Amino acid sequence: MMSRARKRLSAEERRARILAAAVSAFARDGYDGTTMDAIAAGAEITKPVLYDHFPSKQALFLAVLEAIRDSLIARGKTIALDRGSPEQKFRRSVDAFLEFVEQSPDAARVLLTVPVGDPIASGLSREVQAGASAGIAALLAEFMPDQAPWRLESATAFLKEGLHAIAVWWLDHPGPSREEIADVVLDVAWLGLRTRAGADGETRGRGSIDRKR
């Protein structure tokens, strides 16, 4: 009896197990193709227990997205508080995102894939992604001071979608290293941003970007 008692999971541990199973299921089958039965089986719990924690698949999907978002925001805040040049901060921010993709590929797929079959789930996904846009906008504001709001918003959308696109490509083509993928982002994005950041004013080629983390 004592042995069985020790194996009983706490509510927090069971919730963590459910979220992990949900991430795997959503990444594998997509939101529309995932069932609560599959998630319950993956978490090794009964369906009624699953519904005790999450009343619907939509609620569970939102919890998954929020957990992923909060993890990324925490990484971004740490970088924002660090000292360093704008270029170094930009490099660390890109690398932190790619590190997340590398370490948590299933979570990355869930975050980067917007559901299309469920309007509510699609709205939840876009709402959470809006939080990521706010973080990118705050970073870009350092490089684009005194710009019209639409310029900052459009640059944010361009950079966010570009990061998402290269992350999805990397997940499907895992050959290049994280550093090599970060180099691509820096080569494409930084040449313009560096001018805004008050760099030396001369266009630099590929080999001149500071690649130190």
Side-chain angles (χ1 to χ4, degrees):
M1 295 294 292
M2 290 297 292
S3 177
R4 290 182 181 178
R6 291 193 193 98
K7 292 180 182 179
R8 185 180 298 275
L9 297 176
S10 68
E12 291 184 1
E13 290 171 331
R14 191 175 295 110
R15 179 184 172 88
R17 178 177 288 188
I18 291 170
L19 290 175
V23 167
S24 296
F26 288 137
R28 182 183 65 248
D29 301 323
Y31 177 84
D32 298 324
T34 297
T35 65
M36 293 294 268
D37 291 285
I39 294 172
E44 298 181 341
I45 59 174
T46 64
K47 196 172 178 180
V49 171
L50 175 58
Y51 278 109
D52 284 341
H53 287 268
F54 299 99
S56 66
K57 185 170 74 168
Q58 291 170 347
L60 177 51
F61 185 61
L62 176 60
V64 165
L65 290 177
E66 288 178 336
I68 297 171
R69 177 202 61 193
D70 292 348
S71 175
L72 282 171
I73 288 176
R75 295 179 189 223
K77 286 182 177 179
T78 299
I79 294 170
L81 294 174
D82 286 345
R83 294 182 179 180
S85 68
E87 183 173 353
Q88 289 170 334
K89 284 189 175 182
F90 185 78
R91 171 73 194 215
R92 288 198 293 267
S93 297
V94 170
D95 185 68
F97 174 72
L98 294 176
E99 182 181 43
F100 155 72
V101 175
E102 183 178 52
Q103 294 179 348
S104 307
D106 283 352
R109 286 193 183 277
V110 174
L111 178 68
L112 301 177
T113 304
V114 177
V116 294
D118 187 314
I120 294 179
S122 177
L124 293 174
S125 179
R126 295 187 185 282
E127 182 180 335
V128 169
Q129 289 198 18
S133 296
I136 293 174
L139 178 65
L140 292 184
E142 295 187 34
F143 312 122
M144 302 175 65
D146 304 321
Q147 294 292 311
W150 74 265
R151 286 185 176 274
L152 183 59
E153 291 175 8
S154 60
T156 295
F158 176 82
L159 183 57
K160 188 193 78 171
E161 293 302 324
L163 283 171
H164 285 190
I166 199 169
V168 171
W169 181 90
W170 190 31
L171 287 169
D172 293 335
H173 304 81
S177 68
R178 188 173 89 219
E179 183 175 8
E180 288 173 322
I181 296 297
D183 287 346
V184 172
V185 176
L186 267 288
D187 288 346
V188 172
W190 181 250
L191 292 180
L193 290 174
R194 60 181 286 278
T195 302
R196 302 286 184 182
D200 58 25
E202 297 180 1
T203 301
R204 292 184 291 176
R206 174 177 172 78
S208 60
I209 292 176
D210 177 11
R211 308 192 191 282
K212 293 182 180 179
R213 298 184 185 179

